């Protein structure tokens, strides 16, 4: 019972809470004075306070040295102010914004993100001006979702660059970008993007609601936030698609989905998304429909094969040797005759070896990683067969299923599949092919129960509307795609006019 | 929320308890997969049972292990065999069941087959065959130029067009016919001849006991009557009365065959009208007819039809004499009979039956047979003719030629 | 939003709910159950289909008169609180017995065919766990699983062709070679196979297009009947009468006939994938039992699922005698099934009488 209570508390504690609060500036409003700022920013040595006079008027300037380009400050702030006499400093600095007297939290936030603050105590005027300069990566091609054809730029860590990458592709007044500050400590900007005329407003509302409800110290990556706003956080399957390609993001926007982006994360989460979309690549649309359909079939079949193949090896060898035709029986029993482990253990060992190789390869620098792959693949595989630790058929089976598990373009999905495979292998070792099918049924039941932003996750498998079939396992010729996906419940279902007007 | 937690706990419990149980189960390499099981006559109650299993180990000198025991039933045999082998004996991969002629004559195959059929480990696609002499002798002998014997026997008895003169009966079919309402068994008969195993004859059964044989030629005609679509090649020796040549050899390659059976009369004395429709190519022909000439062509067909009619009728008479009917004709009588049906009625009906066999033989081509003897022009014509035939499907040749 | 909708079952959900709940364990044994009919069994299934269709109509008529009530609440409205609760209890017992029968028989088969060295306890427990998981998602989850189950298993029909190839088609003659009494006997033996559509009245309030529910349910019913006929027909041509009489699971042997070049003995696989059909049946009845508990105890609680699951998966064998088990699983459950199929007729009559007398407002 104690265990039960502990478990239930854990479950409840990690569930998203439902109480609402405005989280942009939760602190109390206070009056802005130099002392107040100094008090707040005690022991922050990179904050610079400068007192000087401009045209006989005392001015206090505050900025954070590490976030501000000082040459920029000189050129764009001080020089215009000093150049000639003015009535109002705001005339000399048209881009500057005014802060109200009690907006200390806002001031502090902006100061820390690279604004310079000018205080004119005689005029009771506080202005802020953006002078920030953050070191940032230039736009480059994405590593995880590379394609041969099509646009090659990828999202970067800067939110504003990402917005511009998307704005560049959708020049429309309907593209809305809503930004929130999230994290009780880190105050990172999170933005929600959608097409107002296409996206279902309920979906937008719901996503905004979820994002605002998140309470957390701070996020380093969008991936963390995504896990907190997904429908079923316990599921091993990702319920929102994630892309690091602006073209995929734009495609999703135009289909009526809602995007979530975060400053500091080169990704965008797409909601709602479906199971099948985890198996599609933007390249499917750059290829001709026939090739794309073939590839999609291979990816889908690959998923089933990869979760069932090694498990079937275990169950057939352990429980159902009668299922082997004579030719296979001879080969298999010959190669198995020296192996000292039962099939389950044998499979687990080899699968784990592959997993370890993959993990080691990922953490290593690229060149060493390649070496490890080759050494692992060839040396360990061959040697273990020769030593009689594994049968050579198994090496083939495991490598095929390992390769297949990397087919889904979505990295999270490919990880989830690999996780599911272990469950399948254990069930196969436990209850044979019955266990396998039981696990498969459970898997399907689970997938069926999943939702992505309230729409069924398996939507295109079980069609929401007939037109969905044009972009499912089949990728129909582009001319046939007349409607947006059923699962987005869009305001505007037609992609293009279909009548001959 | 509570339920989620419960499921997670259950799943964890289930997964964590999963590994412990599995280890002790014998896996593939620990199982002795019996491939062939043979029964020799010992006394009315017991049989000498021989089993062979393939030996997968590369170090082993012999590719096949063979064990013998004395038992009444397959299950009992497994029990007494297990102490002799280092492996756990299993019937899961059983492919062939053999009976010696003596066993099949004296004991009958029913009990063994039923016993195997009842065993869920045994598949349904296990072939049954009868062996001349003893099974032990056949299986113990060395066959230098053959693959491993389990595989060889399985391949030999597998349905192939070349050996389609018997019915390829599996355990299921054997049970089907043993307990069926009409048809009797025809099983292949294996003989060992100078380091070879071959199917020489067809063993005929009355109920479950062997009582006679058919030659492979009769077997083919039996299959034609049973409406098997694919028949093996067949040769005929006919006399061409108008050209005066005797012993004309014709080898025929059947393309498709079909037969329709009509029954007249009641259960007591039915008369069967069997219409066979055969499309075939002539592969070899030693007669004097000019095959280019459509009229002559038709005459060849007529000759073949007569020959097949005669042989069919002869076969049926022979079967009637033996009192067995592998041709499954009385099923058509049953299909017209309302009320309870028994095997005895089928036997009685067959004993009193009258037969009429009519063959419609369509030669759809002569292959490349005549290339040496005919002119290039007419060869072209023939080729065109054949092409047209194929395009038109199976329209009998006569109609086309009359159109010409 | 999809959640929280009352009317959540669309056309396909209704069709496949009816279709897949019907097909369960009975298909495996159907040719054996009806072996007394010999080679004439396949067309009797058509008659059974027609009978089921006829009993579907009163259900629809009752449902359409009470569009927001399920059978349990209708019972309480029409029969009064206590009588209604009593009849709901009977329905609860029926659901439980059905689940117990189906899961038990299936697991026994699995154990005999694929796991001969195991006890049935663990597989049974896991099966019920998965069924509970599905049923916990509500009737819509069950319906969605039914659609999936249909597509996961329908291709097994392809494997009938091995049986058809070897089969002897003369077996179907003589047609109508049965006396009236034998036909009735066949109906008795075959009818339990189509039970399952009677649950329609329980999920009727959730159906989106209630007016068309009869048509959709009929489509589902006839898909099932067509499957039954296909399997039964293949059995008739492939087996002899003796075999149908003596084989417990003729469909198993139809699978055994299949020989693929890379896989043999697919009956192992066939029986294992049958779990989709079993799960749909069990989970639908689990859901039925759960809402029945809800209505009897007048509280909605998820824990009832666990209760029901425990009752069902508890090993019955040790507690009650074999004789009682046989009575419960082989006879009582079927009679209750017939009762449940005919129940709407009674309710309709009461509805009509009470309407005449006045004083009823659904």
């Amino acid at each position: 019972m104690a265990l039960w209570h502990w478990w239930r508390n854990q479950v409840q504690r990690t569930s998203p809470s439902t109480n609402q609060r405005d989280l942009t500036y939760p602190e109390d409003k206070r009056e802005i004075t130099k002392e107040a700022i100094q008090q707040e920013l005690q022991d922050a040595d990179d904050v610079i306070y400068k007192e000087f006079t401009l045209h006989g008027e005392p001015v206090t300037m505050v900025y954070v040295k590490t976030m501000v380009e000082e040459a920029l400050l000189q050129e764009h702030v001080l020089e215009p102010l000093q150049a000639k006499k003015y009535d109002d400093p705001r005339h000399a600095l048209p881009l500057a914004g005014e802060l109200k007297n009690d907006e200390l939290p806002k001031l502090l936030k902006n100061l820390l993100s690279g604004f310079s603050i000018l205080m004119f105590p005689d005029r009771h005027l506080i202005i802020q001006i953006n002078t920030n300069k953050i070191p940032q990566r230039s736009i480059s091609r994405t590593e995880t979702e590379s394609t041969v054809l099509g646009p090659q730029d990828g999202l970067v860590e800067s939110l504003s660059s990402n917005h511009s990458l998307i704005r560049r592709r959708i020049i429309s007044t309907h593209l809305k970008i809503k930004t929130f500050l999230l994290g009780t400590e880190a105050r990172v900007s999170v933005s929600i993007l959608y097409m107002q005329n296409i996206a279902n407003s309920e979906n937008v509302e719901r996503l905004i609601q979820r994002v605002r409800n998140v309470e957390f110290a701070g996020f380093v990556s969008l991936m963390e936030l995504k896990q907190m706003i997904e429908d079923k956080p316990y599921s091993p399957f990702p319920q929102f698609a994630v892309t690091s390609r602006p073209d995929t993001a734009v495609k999703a926007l135009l289909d009526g989905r809602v995007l979530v982006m975060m400053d500091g994360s080169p990704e965008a989460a797409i909601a709602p998304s479906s199971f099948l979309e985890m198996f599609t690549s933007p390249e499917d649309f750059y290829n001709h429909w026939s090739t794309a359909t073939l590839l999609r079939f291979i990816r889908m079949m690959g998923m089933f094969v990869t979760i069932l193949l090694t498990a079937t090896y275990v169950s057939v060898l352990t429980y159902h040797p009668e299922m082997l035709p004579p030719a296979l029986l001879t080969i298999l029993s010959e190669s198995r005759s020296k192996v000292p482990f039962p099939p389950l253990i044998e499979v687990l060992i080899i699968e784990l070896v592959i997993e370890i190789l993959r993990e080691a390869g990922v953490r290593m620098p690229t060149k060493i990683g390649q070496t490890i792959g080759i050494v692992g693949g060839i040396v360990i595989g061959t040697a273990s067969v020769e030593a009689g630790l594994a049968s050579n058929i198994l090496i083939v089976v495991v490598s095929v299923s390992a390769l297949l598990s990397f087919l889904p373009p979505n990295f999270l999905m490919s990880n989830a599949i690999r996780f599911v495979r272990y469950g399948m292998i254990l069930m196969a070792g436990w209850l044979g092919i019955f266990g396998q099918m039981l696990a498969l049924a459970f898997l399907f039941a689970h997938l069926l129960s999943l939702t992505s932003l309230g729409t069924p996750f398996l939507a295109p498998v079980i069609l929401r509307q007939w037109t969905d079939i044009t972009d499912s396992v089949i990728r129909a010729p582009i001319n046939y795609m007349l409607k947006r996906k059923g699962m987005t419940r869009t305001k505007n279902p037609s992609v293009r006019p279909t009548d001959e007007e | 929320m509570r339920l989620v937690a419960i499921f997670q706990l259950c799943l964890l419990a289930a997964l964590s308890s999963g590994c412990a149980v599995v280890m002790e189960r014998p896996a593939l390499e620990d199982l002795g997969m019996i491939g062939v099981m043979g029964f020799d006559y010992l006394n009315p109650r017991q049989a000498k049972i021989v089993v062979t299993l393939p030996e997968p180990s590369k170090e082993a000198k012999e590719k096949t292990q063979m064990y013998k025991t004395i038992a009444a039933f397959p299950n009992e045999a497994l029990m007494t065999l297990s102490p002799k082998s280092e492996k756990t004996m299993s019937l899961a991969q059983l492919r062939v069941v053999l009976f010696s002629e003596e066993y099949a004559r004296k004991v009958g195959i029913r009990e063994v087959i039923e016993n195997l059929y009842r065993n869920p480990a045994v598949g349904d696609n296990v072939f049954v065959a009868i062996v001349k002499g003893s099974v032990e002798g056949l299986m113990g002998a060395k066959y230098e130029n053959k693959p491993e014997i389990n595989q060889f026997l399985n391949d030999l008895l597998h349905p192939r067009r070349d050996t389609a003169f018997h019915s390829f009966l599996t355990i299921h079919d054997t049970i089907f016919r043993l307990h069926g309402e009409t048809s009797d068994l025809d099983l292949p008969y294996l003989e060992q001849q100078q380091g070879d195993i071959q199917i020489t004859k067809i063993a005929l059964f009355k109920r479950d006991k062997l009582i006679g044989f058919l030659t492979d030629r009769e077997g083919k005609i039996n299959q034609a009557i049973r409406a098997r679509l694919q028949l093996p090649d067949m040769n005929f020796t006919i006399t061409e009365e108008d050209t005066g040549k005797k012993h004309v050899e014709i080898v025929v390659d059947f393309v498709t065959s079909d037969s329709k059976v009509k029954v007249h009369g009641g259960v007591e004395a039915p008369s069967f009208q069997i219409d066979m429709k055969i499309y075939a190519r002539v592969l070899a022909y030693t007669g004097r007819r000019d095959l280019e000439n459509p009229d002559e062509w038709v005459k060849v067909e007529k000759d073949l039809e007569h020959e097949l009619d005669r042989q069919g009728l002869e076969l049926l008479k022979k079967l009637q004499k033996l009192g067995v009917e592998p041709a499954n004709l009385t099923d058509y009588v049953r299909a017209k009979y309302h009320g309870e049906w028994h095997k005895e009625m089928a036997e009685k009906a067959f004993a009193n039956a009258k037969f009429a066999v009519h063959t419609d033989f369509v030669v759809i081509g002569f292959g490349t047979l005549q290339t040496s003897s005919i002119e290039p022009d007419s060869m072209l014509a023939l080729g065109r003719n054949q092409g047209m035939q194929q395009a038109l499907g199976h329209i009998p040749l006569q109609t086309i030629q009359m159109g010409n | 939003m999809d959640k929280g909708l009352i009317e959540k079952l669309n056309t396909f959900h209704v069709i496949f709910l009816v279709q897949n709940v019907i097909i369960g364990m009975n298909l495996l044994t159907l040719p054996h159950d009806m072996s007394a009919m010999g080679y004439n069994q396949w067309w009797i299934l058509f008659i059974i289909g027609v009978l089921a269709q006829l009993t579907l109509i009163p259900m629809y008529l009752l449902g359409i008169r009470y569009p927001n009530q399920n059978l349990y609440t209708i019972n309480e409205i029409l029969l009064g609180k206590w009588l209604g609760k009593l009849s709901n209890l009977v329905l609860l017992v029926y659901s439980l017995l059905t689940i117990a029968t189906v899961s038990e028989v299936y697991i026994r088969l699995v154990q005999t065919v694929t796991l001969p060295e195991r006890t049935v306890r663990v597989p049974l427990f896991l099966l019920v766990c998965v069924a509970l998981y599905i049923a916990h998602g509500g009737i819509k989850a069950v319906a969605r699983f039914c659609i999936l189950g249909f597509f996961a298993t329908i291709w097994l029909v392809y494997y009938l062709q091995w049986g058809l190839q070897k089969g002897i088609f003369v077996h179907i003659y003589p047609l109508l070679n049965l006396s009236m009494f034998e036909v009735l006997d066949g109906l008795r033996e075959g009818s339990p196979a189509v039970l399952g559509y009677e649950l329609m009245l329980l999920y009727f309030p959730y159906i989106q297009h209630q007016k068309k529910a009869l048509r959709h349910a009929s489509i589902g019913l006839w898909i099932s009947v067509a499957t039954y006929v296909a399997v039964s027909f293949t059995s008739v041509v492939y087996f002899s009468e003796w075999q149908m009489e003596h084989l417990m699971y003729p469909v198993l042997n139809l699978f055994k006939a299949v020989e693929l070049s890379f896989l043999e003995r697919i009956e192992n696989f066939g029986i294992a994938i049958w779990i989709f059909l079993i799960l749909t049946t069990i989970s639908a009845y689990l859901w039925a039992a759960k809402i029945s508990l809800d209505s009897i105890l007048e509280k909605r609680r998820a824990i009832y699922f666990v209760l029901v699951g425990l009752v069902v998966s508890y090993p019955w064998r040790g507690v009650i005698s074999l004789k009682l088990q046989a009575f419960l699983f082989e006879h009582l459950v079927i009679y209750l099934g017939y009762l449940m199929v005919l129940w709407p007729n009674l309710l309709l009559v009461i509805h009509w009488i009470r309407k005449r007398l006045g004083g009823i407002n659904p």
Side-chain angles (χ1 to χ4, degrees), chain B residues 3 25 95 121-122 181 339, chain C residues 39 117 136 177 256 264-265:
Chain B
L3 269 179
R25 239 196 96 87
R95 306 270 162 190
V122 181
E181 296 80 21
Chain C
Y39 294 147
E117 288 147 40
H136 174 235
N177 184 17
K256 275 190 175 183
E264 289 189 346
R265 302 289 296 278

Side-chain angles (χ1 to χ4, degrees), chain A residues 96-216:
Chain A
E98 187 187 343
L99 281 167
K100 289 203 187 83
N101 205 24
D102 60 344
E103 286 183 324
L104 184 64
K106 189 176 176 185
L107 180 142
L108 286 172
K109 193 258 160 187
N110 286 345
L111 179 64
L112 289 174
S113 44
F115 280 62
S116 298
I117 310 292
L118 288 167
M119 289 192 277
F120 300 87
D122 294 357
R123 294 170 193 260
H124 296 287
L125 178 69
I126 303 158
I127 58 174
Q128 58 173 10
I129 185 156
N130 192 353
T131 49
N132 84 330
K133 181 220 73 178
I134 304 168
Q136 101 181 34
R137 188 163 65 93
S138 64
I139 293 170
S140 57
R141 46 194 314 169
T142 150
E143 297 276 319
T144 46
E145 289 173 81
S146 53
T147 59
V148 178
L149 300 169
Q152 298 293 334
D153 51 348
L155 298 177
V156 291
E157 280 81 358
S158 151
L159 188 60
S160 50
S161 307
N162 291 345
H163 287 169
S164 73
L165 280 175
I166 287 176
R167 278 259 187 238
R168 194 168 87 194
R169 287 178 166 86
I170 306 180
I171 301 169
S172 158
T173 50
H174 296 295
L175 174 63
K176 306 293 174 196
I177 300 180
K178 284 196 174 174
T179 306
F180 308 90
L181 291 177
L182 234 63
T184 46
E185 302 297 330
R187 325 308 319 277
V188 63
S189 320
V190 171
S191 62
I192 286 175
L193 288 78
Y194 59 95
M195 297 294 289
Q196 198 183 22
N197 59 338
I198 304 173
N200 182 305
S201 40
E202 226 174 27
N203 278 346
V204 178
E205 299 263 301
R206 203 181 304 166
L207 197 61
I208 289 175
Q209 171 89 351
R210 282 189 198 176
V211 166
R212 290 167 72 106
N213 277 345
V214 171
E215 279 186 58
F216 204 63

Side-chain angles (χ1 to χ4, degrees), chain B residues 276-346:
Chain B
M276 287 191 274
K277 181 102 189 167
I278 286 167
Y279 293 90
R281 279 188 310 150
V282 172
L283 294 181
Y285 173 71
T286 58
R288 285 181 189 154
R289 292 193 205 280
D290 177 13
L291 295 178
E292 255 179 283
N293 186 341
D295 296 337
E296 299 280 291
W297 191 334
V298 173
K299 280 180 186 160
V300 177
E301 285 175 351
K302 283 272 169 301
D303 288 342
L304 286 169
E305 279 169 13
H306 286 309
E307 187 61 19
L308 262 176
D309 288 355
R310 191 181 61 77
Q311 292 192 5
L313 206 59
E314 239 171 48
L315 170 74
L316 289 170
K317 290 264 163 63
K318 179 178 172 179
L319 290 174
Q320 196 172 27
K321 221 180 205 171
L322 284 169
V324 293
E325 55 137 346
N328 196 30
L329 290 175
T330 40
D331 219 6
Y332 297 92
V333 181
R334 186 196 59 77
K336 284 193 159 183
Y337 179 82
H338 281 255
E340 288 275 309
W341 179 266
H342 303 290
K343 181 96 175 178
E344 288 77 21
M345 297 166 74

Side-chain angles (χ1 to χ4, degrees), chain A residues 240-476:
Chain A
F240 292 167
V242 168
T243 182
S244 55
R245 296 177 59 93
D247 53 340
T248 312
V250 164
K251 190 146 189 73
L253 280 176
L254 291 179
D255 195 45
R257 319 294 174 84
V258 190
L259 296 189
V260 185
M261 285 183 169
M262 180 192 268
D263 198 20
S265 248
E267 290 113 357
I270 303 171
S273 20
S274 70
F275 182 68
L276 276 186
E277 278 171 1
M278 311 284 170
F279 296 88
T280 58
S281 154
E283 200 159 31
D284 291 352
F285 287 91
Y286 308 147
N287 265 323
H288 277 265
W289 70 275
S290 42
T291 327
T293 304
L294 174 73
L295 290 176
R296 284 189 176 186
F297 264 108
I298 290 174
R299 289 191 208 120
M300 276 313 284
M301 291 310 294
M303 186 204 78
F304 285 105
V305 173
T306 191
I307 57 177
L308 289 175
L309 190 62
T310 38
T312 310
Y313 176 89
V314 174
S315 60
V316 167
L317 258 61
T318 322
Y319 292 96
H320 323 289
E322 67 268 24
M323 288 178 81
L324 295 167
L328 261 182
L329 177 77
T330 329
I331 310 172
L332 268 172
S333 43
E334 205 174 292
S335 71
R336 275 282 302 167
S337 58
K338 273 165 70 186
V339 182
F341 309 111
L344 175 67
I345 307 294
E346 184 196 8
V347 164
L348 282 180
I349 290 175
I350 299 297
E351 285 277 3
L352 282 175
V353 165
I354 294 254
E355 207 71 1
I356 290 165
L357 280 175
R358 188 191 66 83
E359 193 62 18
V362 168
R363 307 282 160 244
M364 295 284 165
T366 323
K367 295 220 167 103
I368 303 178
Q370 280 177 357
T371 324
I372 286 184
I374 293 164
V375 168
I378 297 174
V379 177
I380 298 185
T382 329
S384 57
V385 168
E386 291 206 342
L389 289 176
S391 73
N392 39 19
I393 307 276
L394 178 69
I395 300 285
V396 177
V397 166
V398 168
S399 352
V400 167
S401 85
L403 280 180
L404 287 175
S405 76
F406 291 106
L407 277 186
N410 187 310
F411 183 66
L412 290 173
M413 183 48 96
S414 107
N415 287 350
I417 285 174
R418 234 169 305 127
F419 167 76
V420 166
R421 195 169 59 197
Y422 285 99
M424 209 59 108
I425 292 171
L426 287 178
M427 283 303 278
W430 190 17
L431 290 172
I433 206 161
F434 168 76
Q436 241 175 300
M437 286 302 145
L438 191 74
L440 192 70
F442 179 70
L443 173 71
F444 276 131
H446 175 69
L447 284 174
L448 282 171
S449 77
L450 284 184
T451 49
S452 173
L453 211 64
T455 37
F457 190 50
L458 277 188
V461 180
I462 298 168
L463 297 173
R464 297 282 283 185
Q465 59 188 34
W466 284 109
T467 45
D468 282 359
I469 208 164
T470 54
D471 184 15
S472 56
V473 180
I474 301 163
R475 201 284 264 172

